[in-house]
Structures are given as C-alpha cells and as structure tokens.
Amino acid sequence: MHFALHWNLKSGDIVHSIYPNGWTLWNYHAPCLALGIKLFLENGTVYRLKDGSNLWDVLSKYKVSYSFLVTSIVDKLEKMKAYPDPSNTNFEHLKGISIGGCPVKTANFKYIQSVVKDNVIINGLYGATETFGPFSGCEYNLPVYAPEIQVPSFGTKAQCVDPDGNPIVGRNGEMVITVPNPVLPLYLWRDENNEILKKTYLSKFPGFWCQHDVCYVNPRTKGMVLKGRR
C-alpha cells in the first residue's frame, strides 16, 4: 500500500505493468486495487509492436499514471532510439516512472527525461524479492539526483556500512536495514529453524538485515547509489 502512497496514486489512476505475477513486482501493484487504482497489464514486447509503436506510445495512448521499468529495458529502448510518435503524444496523465531491478545509470534518467520532459518525476526503485516490497520511495517535494535513491520507503531505515557495521559516507559499503520493518520475512520456505534466513541475512551484521548489495552514499546530497550484489 505504501507504494501507492509514495507515488500519490489515487482512484482512477492507471498503473502499467509488463511483469509476470510470479515476480515480486506484482505485490507492489495488487494493493493498488484497494484504492480504486486501475492496473494495465501488458504482455509481450515493449520495444516495437506490430503497428510500429513502442512502449512510450502505449503509455501515452492509455493515459498511464505510473510505470516501473527494469534498467535493461531502458537501456535497450535508448539504444533503439525509441521515442513516441510526435504527432500523437500526451503524457499529461503520467505522474512518474521508476527504474530498477539492477543498478541504475545516470544515462537512464536522461533518456527517459528526454522522452517525457520535465513534468514527470523519475526515480530509482530499489527493493528485493525476499522482502516483497521496496526499500526506496518517492517524495514529490524533494529533488532527484540521478542515479541516487531519492528517499527510503515508509518505515525503512537504510544505511551504508563498512565491514565492521559502522555507517560510512563517500566510499563503497554494504546496504543494511537497521530497524524492524513489516516487509521483512519471518521465515523462508523449507528453512528448518530459520537457519538459512539467519545465516544469509542476519549474521553478517548482527541486529541488521543485510541484503548483500554494494552501495555508496553521496557526501553532498546524502543520497544512496546501489551498485549491485556482492
């Protein structure tokens, strides 16, 4: 539900998804239905449809409010020089686009902004399959610095720490969650006595949830950049 609240999604808004319901992204979108938000589920390629249109034409045609795009999709769209039909483009309903699934690049932000212009907020979405929820969110009243995570999601306190578990800024470390959060799992399937859960996520930095992702905190903006899995 906090996904919809972060993006100020309301009844009548349309959330676009191209992902199967076996992936954790489905769990971001399904609660939107409780708020009267419509789900627009697309199956198949987003790069070039039979009529010559592409993803951007679809978002414009169906008045989509929000879409999440995997970084690799954005990379390919940019390489293809994919742009919407200039004679029939309208993004006035589009509130925001998130990029994620793997490390996000500044070029991804610049390309999307060149398509949707300045009236749409673009941010990096960071989450995990294990937690069935995002660690990051969106705040319309704060600036966005590509490719940083703009703000943590509701109830999340994320830090970049050194090998001893101390918070660090200006150099690479590991991302940890330092306070309990409802999205964190209680157990894993077929994990007797929570042994795998504890060994994998809770033993490296006792008291913290360790996602094993390399991160960096910008000393100037205090924004966090995710660089990938260790």
Side-chain angles (χ1 to χ4, degrees):
M1 191 68 73
H2 59 305
F3 165 78
L5 297 177
H6 268 296
W7 283 98
N8 194 30
L9 297 173
K10 301 176 181 178
S11 179
D13 283 343
I14 299 174
V15 169
H16 169 259
S17 177
I18 57 177
Y19 308 106
N21 58 14
W23 194 27
T24 184
L25 258 295
W26 178 256
N27 296 279
Y28 296 1
H29 299 154
C32 292
L33 296 174
L35 298 176
I37 298 165
K38 301 175 183 178
L39 292 181
F40 174 29
L41 307 181
E42 184 177 3
N43 184 30
T45 181
V46 299
Y47 302 114
R48 185 172 288 111
L49 307 182
K50 290 182 179 180
D51 62 1
S53 62
N54 57 47
L55 169 75
W56 304 116
D57 296 303
V58 171
L59 298 187
S60 172
K61 178 180 179 180
Y62 293 99
K63 300 179 179 180
V64 168
S65 307
Y66 171 85
S67 183
F68 167 77
L69 301 177
V70 172
T71 309
S72 58
I73 290 178
V74 180
D75 287 337
K76 186 169 182 178
L77 287 168
E78 182 181 9
K79 288 180 180 178
M80 292 173 55
K81 295 181 171 57
Y83 286 89
D85 180 356
S87 66
N88 187 28
T89 301
N90 184 355
F91 290 122
E92 66 178 20
H93 293 85
L94 188 60
K95 294 183 177 182
I97 291 179
S98 293
I99 324 166
C102 55
V104 180
K105 301 178 285 294
T106 300
N108 300 140
F109 280 73
K110 290 182 176 179
Y111 164 64
I112 294 177
Q113 191 171 44
S114 73
V115 176
V116 300
K117 308 308 178 186
D118 295 333
N119 61 331
V120 177
I121 189 169
I122 306 163
N123 83 343
L125 182 65
Y126 171 55
T129 300
E130 301 94 319
T131 62
F132 282 94
F135 295 131
S136 67
C138 171
E139 171 54 66
Y140 284 88
N141 298 308
L142 295 177
V144 175
Y145 299 98
E148 299 172 7
I149 299 300
Q150 188 196 25
V151 292
S153 61
F154 292 131
T156 298
K157 186 175 182 180
Q159 286 186 340
C160 182
V161 299
D162 65 16
D164 296 320
N166 301 310
I168 55 174
V169 174
R171 55 194 176 98
N172 288 348
E174 286 203 49
M175 196 287 298
V176 296
I177 303 299
T178 63
V179 297
N181 190 307
V183 303
L184 298 179
L186 298 176
Y187 57 87
L188 303 177
W189 188 40
R190 293 186 177 180
D191 179 16
E192 297 293 336
N193 301 317
N194 280 349
E195 292 180 5
I196 297 176
L197 179 69
K198 293 175 182 177
K199 180 180 179 180
T200 306
Y201 301 105
L202 301 173
S203 63
K204 188 170 185 178
F205 301 104
F208 295 165
W209 174 275
C210 178
Q211 193 61 37
H212 303 284
D213 285 335
V214 179
C215 64
Y216 171 89
V217 174
N218 187 326
R220 183 174 65 87
T221 65
K222 301 301 186 288
M224 183 181 290
V225 177
L226 274 300
K227 296 191 171 184
R229 186 64 49 95
R230 278 199 184 278

